Amino acid sequence: MRIVVKIGTSTLAHPGGRLNIRHTEALVKVWSDIKNAGHELIIVSSGATGLGVGKLQISRPKDMVTKQAAAAVGQCELMYTYDKLFAEYSHTVAQLLVTWEDFDHPHRLNNLQNTLERLIQLGAVPVINENDPISTEEYSLGDNDRLGALIAKYTHADLLVLLSDIDGLYTADPHTHPEATLIHRVESVTPEIEQLGGGSSSGLGTGGMSAKLTAAKIATGAGVDMVIANGANANVLYDIVDGKDVGTRFVGKNNKIIQEVVCIKGNTPIEVDNRSGDINSVIIYSKNILKLNTIDDDGRDSTLFDMPEAERKDYYIQFKVLIF
Ligand code: GLU
């Protein structure tokens, strides 16, 4: 199985930003064992800003530049720690730092996909984070839950696991509603489920439940199962991989829903709205397709197809666009 594990700052670091050695050592041990059992593993790790704050012994910065500077310090600490701990189990780590723009440019995305594929073939463990020191606010991925989902989507992973400081999705916020119960399985991220998201985030991390539900939409829309579970118990990953009922599992959509579009008049831009994540494939019959746009759950418009003026011909073409 190809598994993407996203680990949050609140699990890796203590509230002041110092490394949580107990959690991190236990996690790397289990991850190494999962890899030894034959699974492919990609880690999406937060913690750069948090660990940088801890190492610099500053209070949690509010301004962008100090946060970015702290991330530059903390990213070294993070990779040093992973390198050291994975090496104890004879595994090799590789660092990849990405920004939104890397998912926006087909050739950069293609390079990212190829590099990840080769690293996995070579037996390395890719450790991915956002390139915080250079990403600007408007182009920032914002949270690593979304980054984890995009990585799972573009590496065609079988499973995305978000390890957090919460056991999963509850029927209400368990901090304020002690009677709330854990939801074990979500077949579809409906507006009712989204309402359970709220927006809270804890301590040094950035992603709250609503960020996790956005990630669930991206992952399940791409056919990837996603599980939210508590990273304080590293062994939980064994149960998740065995398909046991721990945390909350969001079931990946596997029946491909195809949308057919017939465009009678030529030169008409076609727009496919895939924010629901339900459309996996679009078949278009058209004369002179000028432009095809999608609005998808990555939250961005993207042009899938833009036919140069000179190449537009007056005959029917049919083509199929796969939207993963
Ligand atoms: N990239 C951020 C960091 O390493 C974390 C983002 C997040 O917490 O989701 O500090």
Side-chain angles (χ1 to χ4, degrees), residues 99-113:
T99 65
W100 234 139
E101 285 151 300
D102 299 317
F103 291 94
D104 237 10
H105 290 84
H107 63 283
R108 280 158 74 162
L109 179 57
N110 194 37
N111 287 344
L112 176 64
Q113 287 174 299

Side-chain angles (χ1 to χ4, degrees), residues 99-170:
T99 65
W100 234 139
E101 285 151 300
D102 299 317
F103 291 94
D104 237 10
H105 290 84
H107 63 283
R108 280 158 74 162
L109 179 57
N110 194 37
N111 287 344
L112 176 64
Q113 287 174 299
N114 289 343
T115 306
L116 279 169
E117 207 58 51
R118 183 52 51 86
L119 284 167
I120 288 167
Q121 282 167 7
L122 292 168
V125 181
V127 180
I128 307 174
N129 196 359
E130 181 162 6
N131 197 346
D132 295 308
I134 62 157
S135 66
T136 54
E137 222 148 357
E138 61 196 310
Y139 280 116
S140 168
L141 282 150
D143 64 79
N144 275 1
D145 297 320
R146 177 194 294 248
L147 175 58
L150 290 173
I151 294 293
K153 169 176 171 169
Y154 289 114
T155 57
H156 308 293
D158 301 292
L159 179 65
L160 167 65
V161 181
L162 303 184
L163 293 178
S164 177
D165 55 359
I166 186 155
D167 293 339
L169 179 67
Y170 281 84

Side-chain angles (χ1 to χ4, degrees), residues 152-302:
K153 169 176 171 169
Y154 289 114
T155 57
H156 308 293
D158 301 292
L159 179 65
L160 167 65
V161 181
L162 303 184
L163 293 178
S164 177
D165 55 359
I166 186 155
D167 293 339
L169 179 67
Y170 281 84
T171 49
D173 184 347
H175 301 110
T176 48
H177 296 76
E179 76 289 356
T181 53
L182 186 67
I183 302 172
H184 282 294
R185 200 174 167 87
V186 174
E187 297 292 338
S188 179
V189 186
T190 57
E192 293 72 36
I193 291 288
E194 278 185 274
Q195 280 204 329
L196 301 176
S200 67
S201 86
S202 62
L204 293 160
T206 56
M209 189 50 77
S210 85
K212 290 177 178 39
L213 294 178
T214 303
K217 284 172 75 178
I218 297 171
T220 58
V224 183
D225 271 18
M226 184 187 107
V227 176
I228 301 173
N230 199 322
N233 171 17
N235 289 335
V236 82
L237 191 61
Y238 290 122
D239 289 339
I240 296 170
V241 170
D242 288 346
K244 290 190 187 150
D245 241 0
V246 282
T248 304
R249 182 176 287 258
F250 297 80
V251 183
K253 298 178 200 297
N254 50 18
N255 43 340
K256 304 253 182 254
I257 297 170
I258 291 177
Q259 189 179 71
E260 295 197 25
V261 183
V262 181
C263 172
I264 306 292
K265 284 204 172 129
N267 295 353
T268 312
I270 300 170
E271 197 157 85
V272 179
D273 185 344
N274 196 28
R275 277 173 296 188
S276 67
D278 286 339
I279 302 165
N280 285 40
S281 172
V282 182
I283 297 178
I284 293 156
Y285 309 92
S286 176
K287 281 181 181 177
N288 298 347
I289 294 173
L290 175 63
K291 199 169 189 162
L292 173 65
N293 293 324
T294 61
I295 311 171
D296 59 19
D297 35 333
D298 298 358
R300 288 224 152 180
D301 292 0
S302 54

